[in-house]
Amino acid sequence: MQSLTQENLSQLKQLRTELTRFTAVYKFALDEVNTKINILKEEFSYIHDYNPIEHCNSRLKSPESILKKVYKKNIDFSLESIKESVKDIAGIRITCSFKSDIYALSDMIEKQKDIELVERKDYIKNPKPNGYQSLHLIVKVPVFLSDREESVCVEIQIRTIAMDFWASLEHKIYYKYDKEIPSRLADELKAATDSAAALDEKMESIHNEVKELKDERENAQLDEVFDVSSMTATRDKFMQGILQQLIEKPKKLK
């Protein structure tokens, strides 16, 4: 970690002012991605009569947080270096009901024509050593300003409710013990993530079974509506009615 000099401090003060304006562009990028996610959510609800998103939260790093990361990661004190090296200034966290929803949603996001996938880290298929699970996407979106267009990075984290609960608990314990978690608690947290994963698998299984039952019921209803024999009988009855009217009409004329 680099040591702070008087020159560094002066640069930090100037950077803080510039960062305030700099982060405004990331706010616009967040708005852009949030709009896309809301559209996808509503479209999914219309088509499938089901909403895969339970919660969606966004956050923007403060200038102070950005500077701390710059100092910690030994990044050059320039906006260009920050833009190139810090990819999580703008972040969105999406909580889904089921694990399958995570991949369905990420697939829809990645297929957006004006979204460029920069990085994809699957901590669900490959959990972190401490048990952390989530799908992380770094995407770039265009932001159209009055005098220019900028391509801005946004981090998207997608996880289930169980994964989110575990991550929140781990975060609280991590900072309560000043980032030094006792080994006993670390073991219990690892066991908890295994339980959370088992719960996700069980709920996914139930979800799939309910979906199959619903599909079977809808197919049965369609079969009843479009039953060939029923349609034939209705057609024959209709034709007989017309024929009877044609026979009786000349009689009435006489």
Side-chain angles (χ1 to χ4, degrees), residues 30-239:
L30 273 180
D31 293 341
E32 188 74 25
V33 178
N34 273 320
T35 299
K36 290 179 178 295
I37 290 170
N38 286 332
I39 291 172
L40 290 174
K41 179 173 67 174
E42 290 191 26
E43 180 192 16
F44 202 93
S45 297
Y46 280 128
I47 295 174
H48 302 284
D49 192 28
Y50 166 72
N51 181 8
I53 299 175
E54 289 288 339
H55 305 289
C56 184
N57 300 309
S58 57
R59 64 105 184 97
L60 192 66
K61 277 187 181 295
S62 66
E64 289 79 9
S65 295
I66 296 172
L67 288 174
K68 284 179 182 177
K69 191 158 191 175
V70 166
Y71 178 66
K72 183 179 178 181
K73 299 290 184 182
N74 201 18
I75 298 167
D76 289 339
F77 291 110
S78 70
L79 294 181
E80 193 59 38
S81 294
I82 292 171
K83 185 177 180 180
E84 193 64 33
S85 304
V86 184
K87 305 295 187 183
D88 62 344
I89 293 174
I92 295 176
R93 181 175 298 157
I94 303 172
T95 308
C96 297
S97 302
F98 306 101
K99 194 159 64 172
S100 58
D101 293 337
I102 294 173
Y103 294 105
L105 189 59
S106 68
D107 187 53
M108 288 189 285
I109 292 171
E110 290 173 37
K111 284 181 178 178
Q112 296 284 302
K113 286 186 178 180
D114 56 350
I115 282 184
E116 176 191 347
L117 180 65
V118 176
E119 189 175 73
R120 191 176 198 269
K121 291 184 178 179
D122 193 338
Y123 296 116
I124 298 171
K125 293 179 180 177
N126 302 289
K128 288 186 177 182
N130 67 343
Y132 175 84
Q133 295 187 63
S134 185
L135 180 65
H136 290 198
L137 306 175
I138 302 291
V139 300
K140 274 187 178 180
V141 293
V143 174
F144 299 94
L145 303 170
S146 60
D147 58 346
R148 67 190 187 279
E149 175 188 342
E150 286 202 26
S151 189
V152 183
C153 281
V154 176
E155 182 188 50
I156 304 174
Q157 297 179 358
I158 316 176
R159 58 184 67 157
T160 64
I161 298 171
M163 293 173 192
D164 189 59
F165 176 75
W166 184 93
S168 177
L169 177 64
E170 192 269 349
H171 181 78
K172 289 176 182 176
I173 294 174
Y174 187 71
Y175 280 94
K176 183 176 181 180
Y177 284 93
D178 195 25
K179 304 182 182 182
E180 293 293 335
I181 302 176
S183 58
R184 177 182 59 82
L185 283 181
D187 292 339
E188 289 186 9
L189 275 172
K190 184 62 175 67
T193 195
D194 293 338
S195 298
L199 176 62
D200 274 336
E201 292 295 335
K202 185 64 177 177
M203 296 306 295
E204 185 84 41
S205 176
I206 294 171
H207 172 61
N208 290 335
E209 190 171 342
V210 170
K211 186 178 177 183
E212 288 176 7
L213 290 171
K214 182 181 177 182
D215 290 343
E216 288 176 5
R217 184 180 64 186
E218 289 177 350
N219 289 335
Q221 290 173 343
L222 284 173
D223 289 343
E224 185 178 343
V225 171
F226 294 107
D227 181 71
V228 176
S229 60
S230 176
M231 292 176 67
T232 303
T234 302
R235 182 200 62 195
D236 292 346
K237 187 175 181 180
F238 178 72
M239 294 301 294

Side-chain angles (χ1 to χ4, degrees), residues 14 16-26 28 63 148:
Q14 184 181 350
R16 189 190 181 286
T17 303
E18 293 177 352
L19 277 172
T20 303
R21 293 193 293 266
F22 177 71
T23 53
V25 180
Y26 286 86
F28 303 148
R148 67 190 187 279

